[in-house]
Amino acid sequence: MTIPASFIQELIARADVVEIVGRYVQLKKAGANFMGLCPFHGEKSPSFSVSPTKQFYHCFGCGVHGNAIGFLMEHAGMGFVEAVHDLAGQYGLQVPEDDASPAERARAANQRQKQATLTDVLEKAGEAYRKALRQAPGAIEYLKGRGVSGEVARQFGIGYAPAGWRALASVFPDYDDPLLAESGLVIVNTEDGAEDAKRYDRFRDRVMFPIRNVKGECIGFGGRVLGDEKPKYLNSPETPVFSKGRELYGLYEARAAFRERGYALVTEGYMDVVALAQLGFPNAVATLGTACTTEHVQKLFRFTESVVFSFDGDAAGRRAARKALDGALPYATDVRSIKFLFLPAEHDPDSFIREFGADAFARFIQEATPLSRFMLEAAREGCDLTTAEGRAHMTSNVRPLWSAMPDGALKRQLLSEIAALVQLDAAALSELWASTPGPRKAAAAPGQRHAEPGHESEYPDMPPPAEYEPPRYESDSKPRKFTKGKRWGGKFEAPIEPLRGRGKPPSRPDVAARLLLSNMAQWDALSHELHLMLCDLPGPHGALFTWLDSQLHEHGVQPWAALREGMRGLDFETLAERLMNVSESAPVPEGEEEQHLADAAKELASVLDFMLDDRLKAQQSEAIAAVGKDPKALERYKALEARRLELRNRLNPRGAETA
């Protein structure tokens, strides 16, 4: 969209920069201008000047300056077009769109009107939740137990959703209003195609955290359950005004603190943000139950040049940090600081500060791991740099990470560090990467489908040979026999439809993915070690299991149909759909549901035991390689051997049954 320069000039002429800035900064008349404390850096005496004659602001302390549009972009984090529309709306002006048709303009106007209406609905609900909190002793007790003061609760607009199924009916007289469903406040259940849909509140008996955009408008909610129900935290669904992959909880409240403290602290949950604000760290924000995305990082860098990601020190925290690294690399310029903070496994930010004090936490932040070091640690994980193979493996791991960085001094310095680690000259490494193309999809031959990313198989559009019967899953040793009529996770009258292709059998990760997608509840029953093993798998399998873990924490157990909708457009969509298409062709016979679940659980345990045995075997090899250099390597090897022996004792009878 192109906005005419003449309109921008007219808008600046009509707007009153003193009025716009005065909504965010307390200004006092000082001669011909107005003065106040700069909102872009911490100061005790005012050096921020706003000129009504020039329609300009300027800070004599940090040097920031601009007009009303620039202020909205800098202080409210808006893009240029958004700031123009926002300012024009305040003065009743229609923004002309040179390259938009009348129909497109009408659609855009309707969309803006709908967004404004939805935020009004959400604001009204938020006010009702805040009033309900005053009469909710259980919710008040929970907040007091977490150390939240009334002042901080008011600052973040915390409320309470009553336990009733239709509590919002007393707030909105027209409970059937479609806007209530479109805003995510009400769920419409149309089970069995019933004409009279059942409507009920999405949030019930939960402490409510309003999610605000950078302008302070309520665009959604997060609800924390008071009892033992699942999920513990529930977010608003995706709506025209809310996308959890782009929004950050607490951003509106923390904007000024970013400038004052000099950095943004990204945490993992609502209560982390609220507790940190209570304990003297008002510059904290949180992602909304999702991994940190490039959109999150881009939004943060509108307000600050320094970001610290805070994670738990356990394996799940390391996985989340790895995702944040991917999102941050494209913005790692020479003038920005990106760090990764790993708390001790037994602490979150709240408990750490209460035990060791705010000064200790501040020092911990100061000593956090820089992006450059964490990137190299992530790339060398699992690589034995004492061998040529290990160094070559690291070279392969680090290439996409380094390539994602913008060009500059930091990127070039890292090239030298990488070259030193893999024992290559920097020029030779650069030449190697320039002459060797990165991984890419091969063009499909006529009559063939594209293989999904990270998968070696191809699936021609032709039926497989009649005699083809794939084994139950791929084994690194003796191939297992495939039994007709017995499918992954259950027994059926019809034989399994073989996967199309050149005879490559489903792998163990394929089987595990299919079983867990068929019955998501099994994921919660797995050990932390198995979660880590599955999420660390390379390619689309690891991404699929990581996503499945996040879905369980955010939405609870979901059926395959819901999971299918949630993964549209993601890298592992093709893999999951291919695996599940096999199971959808033949339902479980009536009366065999319990046996089906039991067989599925049994087979999943078997497959995971085989995968865990392979993982332990690889760890043994690493331990043997370290003997002579690490005094504890032999002890580690013996412990791994004991675990493998226990696994083999379990696997032998299973192998006989499933052969």
Side-chain angles (χ1 to χ4, degrees):
M1 181 183 71
T2 303
I3 301 175
S6 58
F7 177 78
I8 302 297
Q9 292 174 341
E10 180 187 356
L11 181 60
I12 294 298
R14 288 204 189 188
D16 183 358
V17 70
V18 175
E19 179 187 355
I20 301 300
V21 174
R23 295 173 187 173
Y24 305 93
V25 180
Q26 186 173 354
L27 298 174
K28 290 185 178 179
K29 194 80 165 63
N33 299 329
F34 289 79
M35 298 293 293
L37 296 176
C38 179
F40 302 114
H41 82 285
E43 61 178 10
K44 294 183 179 178
S45 37
S47 61
F48 186 76
S49 171
V50 184
S51 169
T53 54
K54 297 179 181 178
Q55 286 297 301
F56 212 71
Y57 65 87
H58 177 82
C59 177
F60 296 97
C62 66
V64 296
H65 58 274
N67 54 32
I69 295 174
F71 184 84
L72 290 175
M73 292 173 66
E74 286 292 324
H75 190 266
M78 301 181 190
F80 174 74
V81 174
E82 184 184 5
V84 170
H85 277 281
D86 185 271
L87 191 60
Q90 295 180 43
Y91 290 93
L93 299 177
Q94 180 67 39
V95 180
E97 300 169 358
D98 284 352
D99 54 356
S101 67
E104 288 172 336
R105 294 178 193 173
R107 279 195 299 271
N110 289 336
Q111 179 69 8
R112 287 193 293 271
Q113 180 58 44
K114 175 175 283 189
Q115 289 175 344
T117 306
L118 288 175
T119 55
D120 288 344
V121 168
L122 291 161
E123 289 282 5
K124 188 173 181 180
E127 181 60 32
Y129 291 145
R130 287 190 286 275
K131 289 180 180 177
L133 178 62
R134 300 169 195 160
Q135 285 80 43
I140 293 173
E141 190 64 28
Y142 167 77
L143 292 171
K144 285 183 176 178
R146 297 297 301 267
V148 179
S149 68
E151 181 183 350
V152 169
R154 282 190 295 274
Q155 178 188 349
F156 285 90
I158 298 173
Y160 170 71
W165 286 90
R166 294 166 65 94
L168 288 177
S170 62
V171 180
F172 299 95
D174 184 7
Y175 193 72
D176 292 332
D177 189 340
L179 287 171
L180 295 182
E182 197 167 356
S183 65
L185 293 170
V186 166
I187 294 174
V188 180
N189 191 344
T190 55
E191 283 184 354
D192 304 323
E195 292 184 7
D196 296 329
K198 298 176 182 177
R199 302 171 71 90
Y200 53 91
D201 293 358
R202 180 179 300 275
F203 301 100
R204 305 178 302 280
D205 193 23
R206 290 177 181 268
V207 174
M208 299 296 289
F209 300 86
I211 302 164
R212 295 164 171 157
N213 62 17
V214 291
K215 293 187 285 186
E217 299 167 336
C218 183
I219 56 175
F221 291 97
R224 205 279 186 193
V225 73
L226 290 176
D228 297 325
E229 294 84 357
K230 300 292 182 181
K232 182 187 293 186
Y233 283 96
L234 180 65
N235 285 333
S236 290
E238 300 282 313
T239 70
V241 295
F242 176 62
S243 172
K244 58 179 177 287
R246 291 196 296 267
E247 302 299 338
L248 290 158
Y249 177 71
L251 180 61
Y252 174 73
E253 292 81 3
R255 295 167 308 152
F258 291 165
R259 302 281 183 180
E260 182 182 343
R261 297 302 178 96
Y263 67 95
L265 180 62
V266 185
T267 62
E268 297 191 78
Y270 301 103
M271 281 307 304
D272 286 337
V273 172
V274 174
L276 283 167
Q278 178 82 47
L279 295 168
F281 292 85
N283 53 324
V285 296
T287 55
L288 300 168
T290 65
C292 189
T293 65
T294 53
E295 289 87 349
H296 288 140
V297 179
Q298 183 183 34
K299 184 167 284 191
L300 285 169
F301 280 127
R302 291 180 181 176
F303 298 95
T304 180
E305 295 299 319
S306 180
V307 175
V308 179
F309 294 100
S310 172
F311 299 99
D312 296 339
D314 57 12
R318 301 289 296 193
R319 291 198 301 272
R322 182 64 179 77
K323 294 288 186 182
L325 174 66
D326 289 338
L329 282 170
Y331 300 97
T333 65
D334 297 344
V335 296
R336 289 172 176 162
S337 169
I338 302 170
K339 293 183 177 181
F340 295 82
L341 171 70
F342 297 98
L343 292 168
E346 67 275 14
H347 282 295
D348 58 20
D350 183 12
S351 65
F352 185 94
I353 294 172
R354 293 184 188 280
E355 181 168 343
F356 299 105
D359 290 343
F361 187 65
R363 285 195 300 273
F364 214 51
I365 291 172
Q366 201 169 30
E367 296 164 4
T369 305
L371 174 138
S372 57
R373 192 193 313 160
F374 183 57
M375 185 187 90
L376 295 178
E377 289 175 2
R380 69 185 295 173
E381 188 173 357
C383 302
D384 182 0
L385 299 188
T386 63
T387 68
E389 290 84 356
R391 293 191 293 272
H393 190 183
M394 180 184 171
T395 304
S396 176
N397 288 348
V398 78
R399 180 181 179 181
L401 303 179
W402 182 86
S403 299
M405 298 178 66
D407 193 23
L410 176 61
K411 185 175 184 179
R412 296 185 184 191
Q413 289 180 78
L414 277 172
L415 180 67
S416 299
E417 288 193 36
I418 295 165
L421 284 170
V422 300
Q423 297 184 18
L424 285 173
D425 180 79
L429 179 60
S430 181
E431 182 182 350
L432 172 67
W433 282 348
S435 62
T436 308
R440 60 183 181 183
K441 295 181 182 178
Q448 289 185 341
R449 299 176 187 171
H450 284 285
E452 69 268 20
H455 202 289
E456 297 175 358
S457 301
E458 294 175 345
Y459 300 95
D461 284 332
M462 57 178 292
E467 70 275 11
Y468 172 69
E469 291 182 356
R472 287 171 59 78
Y473 50 78
E474 180 183 15
S475 171
D476 295 334
S477 54
K478 182 180 178 181
R480 298 187 177 274
K481 180 182 177 183
F482 175 80
T483 306
K484 283 190 175 184
K486 188 168 184 179
R487 210 175 258 256
W488 303 340
K491 298 178 179 179
F492 305 92
E493 297 176 359
I496 187 171
E497 177 187 350
L499 294 175
R500 297 182 173 191
R502 298 176 179 174
K504 185 169 179 70
S507 65
R508 287 172 182 157
D510 282 345
V511 180
R514 210 232 27 109
L515 291 168
L516 287 166
L517 289 170
S518 298
N519 182 7
M520 190 182 179
Q522 292 185 103
W523 179 266
D524 211 24
L526 301 182
S527 67
H528 176 72
E529 181 181 34
L530 293 176
H531 283 170
L532 178 62
M533 177 185 73
L534 293 172
C535 291
D536 281 350
L537 288 172
H541 288 96
L544 170 58
F545 289 121
T546 301
W547 177 82
L548 194 66
D549 183 55
S550 69
Q551 289 294 296
L552 184 69
H553 287 301
E554 186 174 351
H555 302 295
V557 175
Q558 302 172 74
W560 161 242
L563 292 172
R564 175 69 189 84
E565 291 302 312
M567 65 175 64
R568 290 196 184 279
L570 300 179
D571 291 343
F572 47 80
E573 177 188 7
T574 305
L575 168 67
E577 189 171 22
R578 175 175 64 82
L579 296 175
M580 293 302 293
N581 278 345
V582 176
S583 67
E584 290 172 347
S585 59
V588 180
E590 187 175 354
E592 294 190 21
E593 291 84 356
E594 289 188 11
Q595 185 61 45
H596 166 76
L597 292 174
D599 287 347
K602 189 175 182 181
E603 183 162 18
L604 178 64
S606 176
V607 170
L608 294 179
D609 277 351
F610 275 109
M611 294 175 68
L612 184 57
D613 186 61
D614 289 340
R615 183 180 176 90
L616 295 176
K617 184 178 179 182
Q619 291 173 356
Q620 277 187 309
S621 299
E622 294 173 5
I624 287 295
V627 171
K629 294 173 287 186
D630 182 354
K632 295 185 178 180
L634 193 57
E635 182 182 336
R636 194 160 61 248
Y637 176 88
K638 292 177 180 178
L640 291 167
E641 182 59 26
R643 291 206 58 203
R644 289 194 67 201
L645 180 61
E646 178 187 347
L647 271 177
R648 287 195 291 271
N649 289 337
R650 292 209 306 262
L651 286 169
N652 284 335
R654 277 194 196 129
E657 290 174 15
T658 58

